[in-house]
Amino acid sequence: MSSILTNNGAMVALQTLKSINANLNKTQDEISTGKSVSTAKDNAAVWAISKVMEAEVSGFKAISSGLSLGASAVATARNGAEAITDLLTQMRDKIVTAQGVATDRDKLQNDVIALRDQITTVIKGAQFKGLNLLDGSAGASIDVLSSLDRSANGVTASSITVNSQNLSIGQYTANAVFGASTGGVSAAGDTAGFFLDAGASNTIEIDAGAIFAAGDSISVTIGGKTASYTFSATDVAATTPSDLGAVGLKNAIEKLGIAGLEIDFDSGTPGTLTLTNNGTDDLSVTAQYRNAGAGALGQLANINVSTAAGATTALNDIEAMLQASISAAADFGSAGKRLETQSNFLSKLTDSLTSGIGAMVDADMEATSARLQALQTQQQLGIQSLSIANQAPQAILSLFRG
């Protein structure tokens, strides 16, 4: 039956053409964007998964940047520690030379001072973007963000801990710290001592007028045993003799348990400890003040090879400091390797995730190109089919011609 009101052929041709045009538009979008899934409307599940993975990739790229900065800071510290090791080795050679009997110790001491000043320069200069891992200003350690770990409970951050190394020499004050009646330490940073004969007494005085800071410490070695006391904020603000740190040092010495040693706190003289040797053996007593800012190389401030005794002491001290700098360089080297390994891993992981995202959402351009050609041909045929269907009602006019 023919009808001028309902053209079924035209409706079929129109729906077919609409479908062709929709597919053609989608194909053209794929060619334009390069993606088969560019919005949630295209494929909600795949789009959602791809967005989570894209967020992971973006996060890993940010972490990689942080790792690069952390690795640079560690490399700077490692180079500084290696330079310090070389300088300490040169200083050690000077100290070894000073052990001889026919050497110009004064000139050697000048060389030692020059090397010490150079070490100070290296320590201060070994900083990256304000972060210095050699002078103690960074604290005990820093955490470098290394990964984001996703689990059923959410996302957590992982870090690589890099231990800082305090190789600073310290800034010693010029105030008297010990004003001992015989021997004792006369200036901050100095080390001096005396023999406490059996049955004899001597005093160690903590100068009430000295400028201390919280964290400064005093070490007293008696008969081979060492007692230390670190000044607290209360000590620093003290106004009474008993609070100047002398009582704290007295308690520390008593804990050594040295037979025959008597320690008295003299309230009549602020900060004075009286040591009495009631034993039968003489006791060697040495004392040292250590600034709170002094690190593993703090003893460099006391190196003095101008005398035979000083050269002998310096040889022992330099060995310990050389080992500290070598250990610091090795630790930074190990930490730098960890950061480098993690950075390489994240780079490969990012590439894998990017490939996975591409496999899900990227358009197959070869197949898309072939599909475009086919759809364009279908569109032309659809237009012609619709045109033919639209002309069908015109044939009904021939029924009314006489």
Side-chain angles (χ1 to χ4, degrees), residues 54 67 212 226:
E54 286 176 3
L67 281 171
F212 296 114
T226 302

Side-chain angles (χ1 to χ4, degrees), residues 39-90:
T39 66
K41 181 181 67 174
D42 298 329
N43 188 320
V46 171
W47 181 86
I49 294 172
S50 69
K51 287 302 176 182
V52 172
M53 294 176 68
E54 286 176 3
E56 295 282 356
V57 170
S58 180
F60 286 142
K61 288 181 178 179
I63 291 172
S64 294
S65 297
L67 281 171
S68 296
L69 292 175
S72 296
V74 171
T76 300
R78 174 181 54 78
N79 290 330
E82 291 174 355
I84 291 170
T85 298
D86 292 339
L87 291 169
L88 286 174
T89 300
Q90 296 177 42

Side-chain angles (χ1 to χ4, degrees), residues 199-211:
S201 298
N202 207 332
T203 61
I204 295 178
E205 178 181 337
I206 302 175
D207 185 2
I211 300 175

Side-chain angles (χ1 to χ4, degrees), residues 194-195 220-227 256 258 261 282-286:
F194 54 86
F195 279 98
V220 178
T221 301
I222 304 175
K225 296 182 178 181
T226 302
L256 297 178
I258 299 175
L261 181 64
D282 294 346
L283 293 174
S284 173
V285 180
T286 60

Side-chain angles (χ1 to χ4, degrees), residues 379-400:
Q379 184 186 47
Q380 293 174 6
L381 292 174
I383 291 173
Q384 289 186 5
S385 175
L386 179 59
S387 177
I388 293 170
N390 285 335
Q391 293 175 4
Q394 297 292 326
I396 299 177
L397 291 176
S398 63
L399 298 175
F400 300 95

Side-chain angles (χ1 to χ4, degrees), residues 6 66 71 99 140 212 217 244 293-294 305 307 320 340 346 398:
T6 304
Q99 307 301 309
F212 296 114
S217 63
L244 291 173
V305 298
T307 64
E340 180 183 351
L346 285 183
S398 63

Side-chain angles (χ1 to χ4, degrees), residues 6-201:
T6 304
N7 190 338
N8 291 319
M11 288 189 291
V12 172
L14 180 60
Q15 293 301 321
T16 301
L17 184 59
K18 286 182 177 180
S19 176
I20 293 171
N21 287 338
N23 289 332
L24 185 59
N25 289 335
K26 185 177 185 304
T27 302
Q28 289 175 335
D29 287 342
E30 291 181 12
I31 293 173
S32 299
T33 62
K35 293 183 177 182
S36 61
V37 179
S38 58
T39 66
K41 181 181 67 174
D42 298 329
N43 188 320
V46 171
W47 181 86
I49 294 172
S50 69
K51 287 302 176 182
V52 172
M53 294 176 68
E54 286 176 3
E56 295 282 356
V57 170
S58 180
F60 286 142
K61 288 181 178 179
I63 291 172
S64 294
S65 297
L67 281 171
S68 296
L69 292 175
S72 296
V74 171
T76 300
R78 174 181 54 78
N79 290 330
E82 291 174 355
I84 291 170
T85 298
D86 292 339
L87 291 169
L88 286 174
T89 300
Q90 296 177 42
M91 185 181 292
R92 183 182 182 278
D93 293 341
K94 303 294 182 183
I95 294 173
V96 170
T97 302
Q99 307 301 309
V101 295
T103 58
D104 191 338
R105 292 196 176 94
D106 289 336
K107 291 182 178 179
L108 289 173
Q109 178 62 16
N110 291 335
D111 291 341
V112 167
I113 293 174
L115 289 169
R116 182 178 64 202
D117 292 343
Q118 183 59 36
I119 290 173
T120 300
T121 300
V122 171
I123 293 172
K124 291 180 178 179
Q127 57 88 21
F128 180 80
K129 296 181 73 67
L131 177 62
N132 193 319
L133 298 175
L134 288 182
D135 65 356
S137 62
S141 63
I142 61 170
D143 292 327
V144 180
L145 183 62
S146 61
S147 181
L148 293 176
D149 305 324
R150 186 177 296 277
S151 66
N153 297 325
V155 179
T156 57
S158 296
S159 299
I160 293 176
T161 299
V162 178
N163 293 324
S164 63
Q165 306 291 330
N166 187 355
L167 298 183
S168 62
I169 299 174
Q171 300 298 321
Y172 293 101
T173 64
N175 299 85
V177 176
F178 293 101
S181 59
T182 303
V185 179
S186 59
D190 287 348
T191 302
F194 54 86
F195 279 98
L196 187 59
D197 297 334
S201 298

